[in-house]
Amino acid sequence: MTTPGGLGNEQVAVYPLTLFDNMFAGIVISMGWLVEGKVDVSRLEQALDAVAAKWPLLVGRLERNKKMYQLRIPLGSTDPAGYRRFTLTSRMSNNPLSDFVSVPLPLSHKPLPVALFTDAETPRTTEAFIDNVLPITHWHVTYFNASDGSQSYSCIGVTFPHAVFDGLGIASVVHALEAELLGKEWSAPATLHNGLNENPLSILLDKATLERRENWKREEYSAAGLVGFWWILVFAAWSYWQVIWHGAGEKILLIPRQVIDKLVEDARQGVVGEGGDTNTRLSRGDVLAAFLFKTIFCDDRLRPDDMVHMASLASLHWFFDGTLANYSHNCVIPLPYRRYVVQELETSSTSALACELSGTRQNFAMEDALQCYNMMLRGAEDGREFIYFNPNVDEGALLTNVCIANIANINWKGAGAGRTLCRYKINFRKPPLDKLTNDMTAVGYLEDGALLLQVNLIRTRMDRLEGEIRRLMEEAQS
């Protein structure tokens, strides 16, 4: 799997990607898991080979096609000579795990270094994947030796271009690998044919656009925006300033199950106590979004009349009667959350805010998706960048909730590992937007029911969030 090679003149399938993939083309992601035990790399390689054989798209190569992207995939029962389906590397760490984090993991800790999940040759830009004709998944294992009979640990990482997979998409790849390792059945996406294939998302959106054009909302899609070069430079400068002056950085937060249960139960009871709609069934995601929104923006950095916005990404998988159930590429847009004045957040309870966010989520419709898609098309036509948050506010935040993908607590026992302790994600962003803050991901739930959050905030807001979680922990235990 380590000999370089290309496609030559073999028969290939060409699979076009979409504007949704363009939106994330400046990002390469390294995703990793810290697990107990020593991973058997030979088992991992065998399972990766089996997954690739059943899902040929995974062995393709990413290409540029004018302003768009596409995958070129070899067809046939055998690969071209020297062709790599994936990359898999491993090494032993020179340092013990305790040099990076203590176990059991604390409430909050910094993400493990990316070097534990990648090899020195792992690509970190989309251009590197394309120019060097590299496999679209790069896997790596780092071992931590046990000493004096203590527990051994491993880090398992996968690096991929975000232009190919979104959160649910890479989760489907990892779950396929998990199933192979455990000897379980799994369903591969539809097969490809020689030549140019159709992208189902493009077909469905174009058809829906023609059928529903008269029902479109005429105003701009308020949860996203189109921006030019100067806006990007100003925003990048602001983002760098958050790191340099305000200590913005990333942490992993492990919120105990009893804290999440209390937060949700308090919000649901608050709906009744405040005379709200008792038919509203707040989800954990609604309550978490309201809690984070209030905790982050209700501080002394913002004036009461400042305008703020939180974008929360939603998948289009739920539309089109399940046709996109196995679609693994980018197909997310921000929910149409409205903008808020800071004073509104300060005076609204978590229950009331969660109810409003819940209503927006439940009323999210195809017309919203088409309105956003139309904005993306206009941006592609006139050369403006589409961004997945509202640019016309004093400050914004992004929340990505991938709990439904069950990507946190992967079962790696088929590869010889024990429990999964944590999952990490490192974004390699293309400058100048490489220092984004106010970025939060609800990763999912671990074996003990703890919610795993990965957040990037300035120091004072991180302290405030950790303080609120500790307060809820004390209340849950009392």
Side-chain angles (χ1 to χ4, degrees):
M1 291 301 164
T2 58
T3 304
L7 290 176
N9 296 317
E10 305 291 335
Q11 282 196 329
V12 298
V14 176
Y15 184 87
L17 298 173
T18 73
L19 287 175
F20 292 86
D21 302 297
N22 279 32
M23 184 166 61
F24 297 102
I27 305 172
V28 167
I29 293 176
S30 283
M31 186 176 293
W33 294 262
L34 173 63
V35 300
E36 293 178 340
K38 185 175 182 179
V39 170
D40 186 331
V41 173
S42 63
R43 283 198 228 172
L44 189 60
E45 183 170 21
Q46 290 172 9
L48 285 168
D49 265 324
V51 171
K54 297 175 184 178
W55 192 349
L57 183 141
L58 296 182
V59 308
R61 298 295 190 263
L62 183 62
E63 299 179 335
R64 285 299 299 261
N65 180 14
K66 298 180 180 178
K67 294 183 178 181
M68 303 295 290
Y69 294 86
Q70 64 186 26
L71 290 168
R72 183 174 294 269
I73 305 109
L75 300 178
S77 57
T78 59
D79 295 331
Y83 190 82
R84 293 184 296 172
R85 293 181 168 192
F86 52 86
T87 297
L88 174 60
T89 55
S90 64
R91 69 168 174 273
M92 183 67 67
S93 174
N94 293 324
N95 303 86
L97 180 62
S98 57
D99 282 3
F100 305 105
V101 69
S102 61
V103 177
L105 298 177
L107 166 67
S108 70
H109 65 278
K110 292 182 179 180
L112 296 182
V114 66
L116 297 180
F117 302 106
T118 61
D119 182 73
E121 301 301 318
T122 301
R124 299 192 176 194
T125 66
T126 302
E127 289 75 15
F129 279 92
I130 295 172
D131 295 344
N132 297 302
V133 198
L134 297 176
I136 58 175
T137 59
H138 285 241
W139 298 83
H140 178 79
V141 177
T142 296
Y143 302 110
F144 296 94
N145 255 342
S147 58
D148 301 325
S150 61
Q151 176 69 59
S152 60
Y153 298 94
S154 301
C155 286
I156 308 168
V158 57
T159 301
F160 58 94
H162 202 346
V164 178
F165 301 113
D166 65 5
L168 291 178
I170 195 62
S172 66
V173 175
V174 175
H175 284 304
L177 176 61
E178 178 186 34
E180 282 291 338
L181 286 167
L182 296 173
K184 297 181 178 180
E185 295 294 323
W186 60 279
S187 299
T191 57
L192 303 170
H193 60 76
N194 185 45
L196 182 62
N197 288 249
E198 291 183 334
N199 183 293
L201 178 61
S202 290
I203 299 299
L204 291 168
L205 282 174
D206 290 343
K207 180 181 178 183
T209 297
L210 292 174
E211 293 174 348
R212 299 173 181 242
R213 184 177 295 274
E214 295 305 317
N215 295 327
W216 280 8
K217 301 170 185 175
R218 295 305 174 188
E219 66 272 15
E220 289 285 348
Y221 192 70
S222 61
L226 297 175
V227 298
F229 176 75
W230 287 111
W231 186 94
I232 292 174
L233 282 185
V234 171
F235 180 74
W238 179 87
S239 298
Y240 271 85
W241 186 247
Q242 305 313 298
V243 175
I244 296 169
W245 188 252
H246 296 291
E250 201 158 32
K251 278 191 176 182
I252 303 293
L253 303 180
L254 300 176
I255 307 179
R257 180 174 183 172
Q258 62 266 32
V259 171
I260 295 298
D261 290 344
K262 175 176 173 51
L263 190 64
V264 174
E265 185 58 31
D266 287 351
R268 289 172 178 170
Q269 291 181 3
V271 173
V272 177
E274 295 167 10
D277 185 357
T278 56
N279 292 320
T280 299
R281 182 66 174 173
L282 297 179
S283 72
R284 285 186 168 197
D286 298 326
V287 177
L288 179 66
F291 168 72
L292 291 173
F293 203 4
K294 280 181 61 67
T295 301
I296 290 168
F297 285 138
C298 293
D299 62 11
D300 56 8
R301 274 177 48 85
L302 294 168
R303 300 184 300 267
D305 59 345
D306 278 344
M307 189 74 72
V308 293
H309 177 252
M310 184 173 73
S312 181
L313 299 182
S315 175
L316 303 186
H317 281 92
W318 321 124
F319 298 128
F320 306 112
D321 299 321
T323 308
L324 294 176
N326 290 323
Y327 188 78
S328 58
H329 313 291
N330 294 284
C331 61
V332 294
I333 67 170
L335 285 168
Y337 287 168
R338 69 177 180 89
R339 297 177 297 174
Y340 289 82
V341 174
V342 170
Q343 190 172 29
E344 286 184 89
L345 293 183
E346 293 174 338
T347 57
S348 294
S349 66
T350 299
S351 301
L353 181 57
C355 277
E356 183 170 355
L357 299 182
S358 176
T360 301
R361 174 180 56 81
Q362 294 182 50
N363 291 322
F364 180 51
M366 176 66 74
E367 283 68 33
D368 294 307
L370 295 179
Q371 186 186 15
C372 187
Y373 182 51
N374 183 56
M375 176 182 283
M376 295 169 67
L377 290 171
R378 287 192 287 108
E381 290 174 358
D382 61 23
R384 287 182 292 170
E385 291 289 328
F386 176 90
I387 57 170
Y388 40 91
F389 52 88
N390 190 310
N392 301 310
V393 293
D394 294 292
E395 196 165 347
L398 174 66
L399 172 64
T400 306
N401 189 335
V402 291
C403 290
I404 195 171
N406 194 25
I407 195 71
N409 189 33
I410 298 298
N411 185 345
W412 294 103
K413 293 179 181 178
R419 290 188 307 138
T420 295
L421 302 183
C422 199
R423 194 226 69 167
Y424 302 89
K425 184 180 77 170
I426 301 94
N427 289 325
F428 300 109
R429 299 180 184 273
K430 187 176 181 179
L433 298 180
D434 55 337
K435 298 292 184 184
L436 299 187
T437 186
N438 290 350
D439 188 5
M440 302 164 287
T441 301
V443 179
Y445 297 92
L446 297 171
E447 187 177 63
D448 62 358
L451 174 64
L452 173 58
L453 279 182
Q454 186 161 349
V455 297
N456 191 316
L457 300 169
I458 63 170
R459 187 183 304 108
T460 55
R461 287 175 176 166
M462 188 74 79
D463 291 344
R464 178 183 172 89
L465 178 57
E466 290 184 37
E468 283 295 296
I469 294 171
R470 289 193 171 90
R471 177 184 64 79
L472 289 169
M473 288 175 63
E474 293 174 359
E475 291 180 0
Q477 294 168 356
S478 62

